[in-house]
């Protein structure tokens, strides 16, 4: 029996809120009461306008892949240290973005490695994806003869996992976009730059200049992370960023980074030495995806969106060996430790620690 305590359930913490908890695949968001938001802005001196809505964002150790949550044996329904690894890496990149003069982000405080206090942002409905190598779904489509990706034309003769001449921006929809003729009404569908500029309001952009700005922030952020990883002999293959608008202290709207950036969940990261040797060693969730593809009874269930019902049933019934969950933990914690330059400590009881800190230092826990 494992001795690890993972934070697999993160939407039932006794945090005082003004509405229902929003629970995503990995993070849960607790919107604070207006009184608590105002109190913390005053007490902690957060540099946001008065009246800004704040939320507690708690990351979990759950692991999702192919739009499903996966489970381990012995009740290990998460990857030890995964949440802390993701938060630590994203916070590290956000700090470097600030130092480089790129856009800000939605984090106003970090009470605990599993917890961010964030400010409300008006989300841009675009998954901003940048690619430096042809691999994954892009390679699968390319190998079938497809050459046009999100309005960009790729040349003939590319090979699997080859580095591309330029970083490609291949956006997709965030959520379901309705009412646009040439965009299917499904989540996470590839779109072109023209789709966005012709429908600014639909994608929640305030101007065409801001489309160019998100592309600039995406490529500059990608370049910064890529250069830092190269110092560690790691390759930044591709990644997803998200953006949103917040009100600045002077009352103007500004475009910022939201969600997470450059993590093993939102990016592919390859080992440089292995790549030069003709091998692919994944230091990201892609290794877990490949493990599932190679081990489930029918891998088409994972890759075919028309078999989603079967996929969800498979994820509910398929139990991964504890050794697999611990191996994935080694990948996440290992690359995070390498990126931030110090060992990532896995808390003995993350849930208890989070509740204690939010009670003692922030006064946000409701008493039973």
């Amino acid at each position: 029996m494992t001795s690890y305590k993972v934070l697999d359930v993160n939407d039932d913490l006794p945090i005082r809120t003004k509405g229902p908890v929003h629970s995503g695949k990995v993070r849960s968001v607790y919107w604070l009461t207006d009184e608590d938001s105002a109190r913390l802005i005053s007490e902690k001196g957060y540099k946001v306008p008065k009246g800004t809505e704040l939320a507690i964002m708690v990351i979990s150790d759950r692991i999702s892949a192919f739009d499903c949550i996966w489970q381990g044996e012995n009740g290990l329904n998460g990857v030890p240290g995964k949440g802390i690894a993701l938060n630590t890496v994203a916070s590290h990149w956000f700090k470097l973005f600030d130092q480089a003069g790129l856009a800000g982000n939605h984090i106003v405080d970090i009470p605990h490695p599993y917890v961010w206090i964030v400010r409300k942002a008006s989300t841009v409905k675009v998954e901003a994806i940048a690619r430096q190598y042809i691999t994954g779904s892009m390679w699968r489509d390319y190998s079938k003869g497809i050459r046009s990706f999100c309005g960009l034309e790729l040349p003939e003769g590319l090979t699997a996992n080859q580095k591309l001449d330029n970083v490609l921006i291949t956006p997709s929809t965030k959520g379901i976009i309705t009412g646009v003729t040439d965009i299917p009404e499904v989540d996470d569908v590839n779109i072109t730059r023209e789709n966005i500029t012709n429908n600014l309001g639909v994608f929640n952009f305030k101007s065409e200049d801001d489309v160019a700005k998100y592309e600039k922030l995406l490529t500059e952020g990608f370049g910064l992370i890529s250069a830092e990883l190269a110092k560690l002999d790691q390759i930044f293959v591709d990644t997803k960023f998200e953006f949103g608008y917040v009100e600045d202290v002077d009352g103007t709207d500004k475009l910022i980074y939201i969600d997470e950036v450059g993590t093993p969940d939102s990016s592919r990261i390859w080992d440089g030495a292995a790549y030069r040797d003709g091998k692919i060693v994944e230091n990201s969730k892609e290794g877990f995806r490949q493990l599932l593809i190679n081990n489930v009874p029918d891998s088409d269930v994972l890759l075919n969106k028309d078999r989603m019902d079967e996929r969800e049933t498979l994820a509910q019934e398929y139990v991964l060996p504890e050794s697999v969950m611990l191996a994935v933990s080694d990948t996440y914690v290992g690359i995070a430790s390498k990126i931030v330059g110090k060992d990532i400590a896995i808390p003995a009881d993350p849930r208890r620690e989070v509740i204690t800190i939010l009670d003692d230092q922030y006064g946000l826990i409701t008493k039973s």
Side-chain angles (χ1 to χ4, degrees), residues 16 18 31-56 108 117-119 362-364:
R16 190 166 49 251
K18 68 175 179 182
W31 287 104
L32 300 182
T33 65
D34 293 342
E35 294 78 12
D36 279 330
S37 289
R39 176 177 60 81
L40 289 178
I41 290 169
S42 174
E43 288 178 1
K44 304 290 185 180
Y46 299 147
K47 292 182 177 142
V48 297
K50 289 181 179 178
T52 297
E53 290 184 74
L54 301 181
I56 302 296
V108 298
I117 297 181
V118 300
R119 57 178 307 188
Y362 292 83
L364 293 172

Side-chain angles (χ1 to χ4, degrees), residues 162-191:
Q162 179 179 336
K163 186 175 184 180
L164 301 166
D165 290 339
N166 301 296
V167 174
L168 300 185
I169 297 176
T170 56
S172 63
T173 56
K174 178 176 172 59
I176 297 173
I177 300 297
T178 58
V180 179
T181 304
D182 47 354
I183 300 178
E185 293 187 2
V186 293
D187 186 22
D188 193 24
V189 61
N190 286 350
I191 50 177

